[in-house]
Amino acid sequence: MHAAKQEALEAIGKLPEDADMDEIMYRLYVLDKIRKGQEAAERGETVTSAELKQEIDSW
């Protein structure tokens, strides 16, 4: 958890001084989604582009 907190503080620190709460929340949201995607990839929970295309075609 400490790493996530540190990452959040660093991300907020890089924002301009006039950043509003929406910008801060969006930045943290994006970072969280990236982190979760990286963790899923490390666990092998990914699909190939061919599998994704097949899924899209089924819509």
Side-chain angles (χ1 to χ4, degrees):
M1 233 358 121
H2 177 70
K5 179 180 177 180
Q6 188 61 38
E7 185 179 347
L9 291 172
E10 289 173 11
I12 292 169
K14 292 178 183 177
L15 289 169
E17 288 299 317
D18 62 346
D20 62 18
M21 288 300 272
D22 287 336
E23 291 176 87
I24 294 168
M25 291 170 48
Y26 180 73
R27 179 70 57 101
L28 295 177
Y29 170 81
V30 170
L31 287 174
D32 182 58
K33 293 300 178 185
I34 291 170
R35 182 180 51 82
K36 287 178 179 176
Q38 290 171 332
E39 290 171 355
E42 289 172 4
R43 292 189 304 268
E45 298 172 356
T46 59
V47 296
T48 65
S49 47
E51 291 170 325
L52 181 58
K53 182 176 179 352
Q54 184 179 8
E55 183 178 337
I56 291 170
D57 288 345
S58 72
W59 298 346

